[in-house]
Amino acid sequence: MFHNIVEAVSRGNESKRKIKGRVVLMKKNVLDFNDFGASILDRVHELLGQKVSLQLIGSVCGNASFLEDWTTTIAPLTPGDTAYNVTFDWEKNIGFPGAFSVKNLHHSQFYLKTLTLEDVPGHGRVHFVCNSWVYPAHKYETDRIFFVNQAYLPSETPAPIKKYREQELVKLRGTGTGMLEEWDRVYDYAYYNDLGDPDKGPETARPVLGGSSEYPYPHPKTESRLPLLKSLNIYVPRDERFGHLKKSDFLANALKSLVQFLLPEFEAFCAQTPDEFDSFQDVLKLYEGGIKLPDGPLLDKIKENIPLEMLKQLLQTDGEGLAKFPMPQVIKDDKSAWRTDEEFAREMLAGVNPVNIQRLKEFPPTSKLDPKVYGNQNSSITKNHIENNLDGLTIEEAIRNNRLFILDHHDSLMPYIRRINSTSTKMYATRTLLFLQKDGTLKPLVIELSLPNPQGDQFGAVSKVFTAVENGVEGTIWQLAKAYVAVNDSGVHQLINHWLNTHAVIEPFVIATNRQLSVLHPIYKLLQPHFRETMNINAVARQILIGGGEILEKTVFPGKYSMELSSFVYKNWVFPEQALPADLIKRGMAVEDPNSPQGLRLLIEDYPYAVDGLKIWFAIENWVKDYCNFYYKTDHMVQNDPELQSWWKELREVGHGDIKDEPWWPKMQTKKELVDSCTTIIWVTSALHAALNFGQYPYAGYLPNRPTLSRRFMPEPGSPEFAELKTSPEKAYLKTITPKLQTLLGVTLIELLSRHPSDEVYLGKRDTPEWTKDAAPLEAFGRFGERIGEIEKEIVGMNKDGKWKNRVGPVNVEYTSLYPTSEVGLTGKGIPNSVSL
């Protein structure tokens, strides 16, 4: 009897037990400045009993509990976390609290980061990772739901939270109707239908990209177009928007760069040659000089377009000089080494665009363009052009020994050359042949410049071939030929490799993941860090960079045909070939070799991008294998995961729906297909994007090295332009490439895009250490981080080893584009987890 009494008392005590919780959140701030008005209103709501309530969800829903001491807890003056206590009445029949709901009865939204429960009966510490904006309750039809940091396959979801898991996905998909507001959490698809403004006339009209076989394109999110700076409130699901620190950094750097652009432009209007640089020394003034902020109408215009808070931050310079560009690394040690043939070739292996060079497999190079449409587009390069420069080898021997390589910008550009040249741009399709020397460096042999036949495309190409010469007029002509190649390479880099192959193709993955994979799904947890802020930067790009008449069209050679050209190239995009090993094999830069590490052998041993990239690739692959094998024990589990199958189906049929019938799509029926696909996604969003983005300013910040426009054709003998080659070779070069106005605009843009913000999260790291409760995945991720740290040390060692000439080159710039971590700012290194700039 006594035992029964004790038991009854114990049960009574347990039913009255209190569970302590700790909520971490960030109050609403605006651009790093506290919104004091909102804060005051929230306190008023608290005093009136309109609080923030939380309710645990288990086998039953617990009673509502409230955040404690809101009015007496002082938030930091800078964006930061504020912690609040919350006390829950514990009811035994709740069981395991796998989720909780939150209702915000305040005036303002807040960013909810975590909830941690201590001493939950039978479960101990229970942690919830939220990382989401919670708006006032009247903005939502139902309370917000958050789940425990435990991954569950759909079939393993605890019964009490299963319906909430399903309901959350329905909310995130939306209805496809109505105007979306900032508090909406809808992920949906659209087309690139806002790139032009046909109402203003044919010059501003642009085709709709996506939804057709003529102009296929990855399908981005739904959005509306709003004026630059007047409003940055483009619709992006709020949780995809820039975080506080990143947003302020992004805007501050953008506006700082805006000033850097406007001021030199203002000075240029007063110059004797307003849109020309007179010499390379004239270009250097951008970096060695510095222009003070003038008073007058220009400054007034800047003030009109910059919020007061941002203007204050803008005028607090960081020591670089308000209107002076940082010195690009390519000219920091030697102002002329960039002009050498060795550096021109080295940058194809270790520059900002090291992903296009191929091994030459046949001579002369041939075209894959349809001869019925484009006639004979095969190369006009002959043996006589190159055979005397092959170290005694015949062409056949050089090909057989893997000594000949090509940078081929012919087939991808020729279909657009005639239209592009009808504008102020004057460009060629190009082929560049290179010879691999015994010291591992490449030597340029010949450059072919090709134009469409004046009589019509069907008559084939009209080509000229130029061989390497160091001095005299012929040397200047060779420098110009290299400039035409660099123009093409810059455009292909920016439009195709950078924008299309990372930013654009990944966005459908972001959308499909949020629509079809629950936050509880292990693959969502694996991929989510690699999608951070991609939708937002793409929205900003659509608004101010890639639209008709915007910065991209003004600064790269295709002009108004830029996005249309990227659509043409997208027709040949193949997802499995985005994997680094597959890409290297396709380009002939590597071969399968069972005796080599990881079964792959590079044909240029000193290929810094590939050497470092393969180390990163296989580290990612090993991590993804360990992770996926923990949750998927058999292929059958992959096949019978309804969320996973819906994700892949939607990604293929909707997100990349314009190419959904291509035979190369993985079927997502095996663990290997899942591992390969996730590894490729992580590679593209992290290392590939980093290799193409953060080295931009070190190399292209000096536009003569990486010109983006060509304004006149190669001078013909007897012409005034040809005579200028003799008397003023630098001036002739600068008159051919990007003019002053576009140079200032272009350098401003790439300075902005090359900077790391202060809250960057790098590969091998996460923004929250408790992103999952599962021990084995956490241990595997720890091993991944350790391997990334080892790769950093290996990169440093190879850069210091004089054996590897391509890692430094004549310009004395170490290859660090795939060095995983970085400091804040303009560093030329660092691999962020995601495509966020």
Side-chain angles (χ1 to χ4, degrees):
M1 182 176 174
F2 179 75
H3 172 75
N4 291 337
I5 293 172
V6 172
E7 191 174 80
V9 170
S10 298
R11 283 198 304 268
N13 289 337
E14 185 170 300
S15 66
K16 296 177 182 178
R17 183 169 182 170
K18 303 290 186 181
I19 299 296
K20 294 291 185 181
R22 184 173 185 267
V23 169
V24 177
L25 58 80
M26 184 185 292
K27 290 185 177 181
K28 178 179 179 288
N29 292 305
V30 179
L31 300 177
D32 292 2
F33 292 82
N34 287 343
D35 186 340
F36 293 111
S39 180
I40 292 170
L41 286 170
D42 287 342
R43 290 167 185 258
V44 171
H45 282 237
E46 276 281 319
L47 294 173
L48 294 176
Q50 295 173 304
K51 301 174 180 288
V52 176
S53 66
L54 288 78
Q55 192 173 15
L56 298 179
I57 299 172
S59 298
V60 298
C61 293
N63 296 324
S65 299
F66 300 94
L67 295 189
E68 300 167 7
D69 302 322
W70 183 283
T71 57
T72 58
T73 302
I74 305 300
L77 293 177
T78 57
D81 299 342
T82 307
Y84 296 92
N85 293 324
V86 59
T87 304
F88 296 95
D89 292 325
W90 179 253
E91 299 176 26
K92 187 176 181 180
N93 56 357
I94 288 179
F96 177 63
F100 75 92
S101 65
V102 60
K103 180 180 290 186
N104 175 15
L105 295 181
H106 284 179
H107 168 270
S108 307
Q109 66 269 29
F110 55 82
Y111 187 72
L112 181 60
K113 301 187 80 171
T114 61
L115 165 65
T116 306
L117 305 178
E118 300 293 347
D119 300 323
V120 176
H123 301 284
R125 185 174 183 274
V126 178
H127 189 66
F128 300 81
V129 177
C130 308
N131 289 335
S132 181
W133 285 94
V134 178
Y135 278 76
H138 69 271
K139 302 291 187 183
Y140 303 120
E141 293 182 2
T142 59
D143 294 346
R144 291 293 310 278
I145 304 292
F146 296 95
F147 298 96
V148 71
N149 69 330
Q150 173 79 48
Y152 296 105
L153 293 174
S155 61
E156 299 170 348
T157 310
I161 62 172
K162 190 175 182 65
K163 70 174 182 178
Y164 295 101
R165 176 178 185 148
E166 296 168 351
Q167 289 170 359
E168 272 293 288
L169 286 174
V170 171
K171 292 174 189 175
L172 291 169
R173 292 173 198 142
T175 63
T177 61
M179 177 69 73
L180 295 173
E181 302 289 352
E182 67 175 89
W183 51 82
D184 286 317
R185 301 165 53 240
V186 172
Y187 292 79
D188 208 351
Y189 302 93
Y191 303 128
Y192 284 81
N193 56 5
D194 56 358
L195 297 175
D197 190 354
D199 294 339
K200 292 183 179 179
E203 279 301 307
T204 58
R206 300 292 182 271
V208 173
L209 303 186
S212 69
S213 58
E214 184 178 8
Y215 299 114
Y217 221 66
H219 295 186
K221 62 162 187 60
T222 302
E223 70 164 55
S224 59
R225 193 176 172 92
L226 298 170
L228 169 63
L229 287 178
K230 300 296 185 184
S231 173
L232 287 172
N233 292 321
I234 317 155
Y235 176 73
V236 178
R238 186 65 182 92
D239 294 342
E240 302 292 334
R241 298 284 290 272
F242 292 129
H244 287 273
L245 296 176
K246 189 155 197 168
K247 185 175 183 182
S248 74
D249 285 350
F250 183 88
L251 288 178
N253 284 326
L255 295 170
K256 177 184 173 187
S257 295
L258 178 67
V259 173
Q260 289 175 329
F261 159 57
L262 285 175
L263 299 180
E265 179 188 357
F266 177 79
E267 295 253 320
F269 289 148
C270 305
Q272 185 175 2
T273 54
D275 207 20
E276 300 291 351
F277 292 107
D278 295 322
S279 65
F280 293 137
Q281 185 59 43
D282 197 18
V283 180
L284 288 175
K285 292 178 183 177
L286 292 176
Y287 317 101
E288 295 177 338
I291 306 167
K292 292 189 179 295
L293 194 67
D295 293 322
L298 187 62
L299 184 59
D300 293 339
K301 188 69 175 176
I302 294 170
K303 289 179 178 178
E304 286 175 17
N305 287 281
I306 300 176
L308 177 61
E309 301 91 345
M310 293 308 307
L311 189 61
K312 290 176 182 176
Q313 187 165 350
L314 180 69
L315 296 176
Q316 293 175 359
T317 62
D318 54 8
E320 294 172 358
L322 183 62
K324 182 173 72 172
F325 290 105
M327 183 71 73
Q329 288 176 271
V330 75
I331 55 169
K332 186 169 284 187
D333 282 1
D334 188 320
K335 299 297 186 287
S336 61
W338 65 272
R339 303 185 70 181
T340 63
D341 285 359
E342 182 181 345
E343 180 61 22
F344 172 71
R346 187 192 75 89
E347 290 184 22
M348 299 178 197
L349 302 172
V352 70
N353 189 43
V355 299
N356 282 111
I357 188 169
Q358 305 172 61
R359 178 167 54 88
L360 188 67
K361 299 174 184 177
E362 57 183 348
F363 186 88
T366 58
S367 171
K368 294 181 181 178
L369 293 174
D370 186 350
K372 295 178 181 177
V373 178
Y374 297 104
N376 180 11
Q377 293 289 334
N378 294 333
S379 177
S380 61
I381 300 172
T382 67
K383 290 185 177 182
N384 291 337
H385 287 122
I386 66 171
E387 204 155 52
N388 290 335
N389 291 299
L390 302 180
D391 286 358
L393 299 176
T394 65
I395 290 178
E396 291 75 17
E397 289 171 334
I399 290 176
R400 189 165 58 249
N401 293 328
N402 304 318
R403 302 283 294 277
L404 282 176
F405 294 82
I406 183 171
L407 183 68
D408 193 342
H409 292 312
H410 186 280
D411 283 8
S412 61
L413 301 182
M414 181 56 80
Y416 277 83
I417 294 289
R418 190 184 302 278
R419 278 175 281 179
I420 292 170
N421 284 348
S422 68
T423 69
S424 59
T425 295
K426 300 294 178 273
M427 61 170 293
Y428 301 89
T430 60
R431 292 184 177 104
T432 306
L433 266 56
L434 307 105
F435 179 66
L436 180 61
Q437 301 182 107
K438 292 179 180 178
D439 65 357
T441 62
L442 289 171
K443 177 174 70 174
L445 300 173
V446 65
I447 293 172
E448 180 183 52
L449 306 180
S450 302
L451 292 170
N453 194 301
Q455 299 178 41
D457 289 350
Q458 69 274 22
F459 293 100
V462 176
S463 302
K464 294 181 179 179
V465 178
F466 300 88
T467 54
V469 181
E470 288 190 16
N471 301 311
V473 175
E474 290 78 10
T476 302
I477 289 173
W478 174 245
Q479 291 294 332
L480 282 177
K482 291 194 294 183
Y484 291 118
V485 174
V487 167
N488 287 353
D489 202 58
S490 294
V492 168
H493 161 255
Q494 201 64 273
L495 277 174
I496 309 304
N497 299 331
H498 182 197
W499 165 255
L500 174 65
N501 289 345
T502 63
H503 284 261
V505 301
I506 282 298
E507 189 162 359
F509 287 85
V510 182
I511 298 170
T513 300
N514 282 280
R515 285 168 56 87
Q516 300 298 339
L517 296 181
S518 165
V519 296
L520 290 166
H521 199 286
I523 300 304
Y524 177 95
K525 291 183 180 293
L526 173 68
L527 296 179
Q528 189 272 334
H530 303 287
F531 297 151
R532 181 177 185 249
E533 296 167 352
T534 298
M535 292 178 70
N536 201 61
I537 190 61
N538 284 4
V540 172
R542 286 178 70 176
Q543 188 184 34
I544 65 175
L545 297 179
I546 65 175
E550 301 291 0
I551 295 175
L552 189 72
E553 289 193 355
K554 291 176 180 176
T555 55
V556 296
F557 69 81
K560 67 180 183 180
Y561 300 106
S562 295
M563 292 300 289
E564 185 180 332
L565 174 61
S566 70
S567 170
F568 173 75
V569 175
Y570 174 63
K571 295 176 182 179
N572 296 315
W573 181 79
V574 178
F575 174 68
E577 291 177 356
Q578 307 312 301
L580 180 59
D583 169 60
L584 292 171
I585 290 171
K586 178 188 176 184
R587 291 191 283 122
M589 303 301 290
V591 293
E592 293 181 357
D593 181 355
N595 297 318
S596 297
Q598 310 293 347
L600 204 66
R601 177 168 57 88
L602 291 173
L603 297 182
I604 298 181
E605 189 180 5
D606 187 9
Y607 183 1
Y609 163 75
V611 171
D612 297 354
L614 286 172
K615 292 177 181 178
I616 298 289
W617 167 271
F618 288 116
I620 295 171
E621 183 182 63
N622 288 335
W623 148 237
V624 172
K625 278 181 184 176
D626 288 344
Y627 184 86
C628 290
N629 286 338
F630 179 78
Y631 295 101
Y632 295 93
K633 306 303 182 186
T634 65
D635 291 343
H636 182 76
M637 293 180 70
V638 173
Q639 297 160 13
N640 288 276
D641 181 339
E643 287 186 11
L644 187 73
Q645 293 303 319
S646 296
W647 170 63
W648 198 251
K649 177 180 172 64
E650 179 172 291
L651 173 68
R652 172 178 171 172
E653 296 183 0
V654 183
H656 283 281
D658 296 344
I659 54 173
K660 64 182 179 182
D661 296 323
E662 295 296 335
W664 44 256
W665 279 105
K667 306 301 182 188
M668 202 52 70
Q669 296 295 298
T670 66
K671 287 168 47 178
K672 185 179 187 306
E673 286 181 316
L674 177 60
V675 168
D676 289 349
S677 296
C678 290
T679 303
T680 300
I681 293 167
I682 295 173
W683 163 259
V684 170
T685 57
S686 59
L688 178 61
H689 178 260
L692 296 168
N693 186 72
F694 294 101
Q696 289 189 83
Y697 196 82
Y699 287 101
Y702 183 65
L703 256 291
N705 183 54
R706 296 282 297 175
T708 60
L709 294 170
S710 51
R711 296 175 285 154
R712 62 186 189 184
F713 293 124
M714 183 69 79
E716 296 289 343
S719 67
E721 293 79 10
F722 193 87
E724 189 176 39
L725 293 178
K726 299 179 180 179
T727 59
S728 304
E730 288 188 9
K731 198 168 190 176
Y733 184 93
L734 292 167
K735 279 185 176 181
T736 301
I737 64 166
T738 316
K740 183 180 287 188
L741 181 63
Q742 283 87 343
T743 293
L744 298 169
L745 187 56
V747 172
T748 299
L749 175 62
I750 62 175
E751 184 199 350
L752 171 63
L753 295 179
S754 299
R755 286 183 176 272
H756 288 292
S758 55
D759 62 344
E760 198 83 271
V761 182
Y762 295 96
L763 190 65
K765 297 179 173 60
R766 295 237 176 176
D767 56 5
T768 175
E770 295 184 80
W771 57 273
T772 182
K773 186 180 178 182
D774 294 320
L778 284 174
E779 291 170 3
F781 188 69
R783 292 193 297 272
F784 174 53
E786 290 173 1
R787 176 59 187 138
I788 294 297
E790 292 170 359
I791 292 171
E792 285 193 345
K793 295 176 182 177
E794 291 168 14
I795 290 172
V796 170
M798 293 189 75
N799 285 344
K800 300 299 182 186
D801 187 345
K803 171 184 175 182
W804 309 110
K805 296 182 179 298
N806 294 326
R807 299 195 71 92
V808 177
V811 294
N812 196 27
V813 177
E814 294 184 356
Y815 186 70
T816 56
S817 292
L818 288 173
Y819 185 89
T821 59
S822 175
E823 302 79 33
V824 173
L826 206 59
T827 65
K829 61 182 180 180
I831 304 176
N833 272 328
S834 62
V835 180
S836 57
L837 271 183

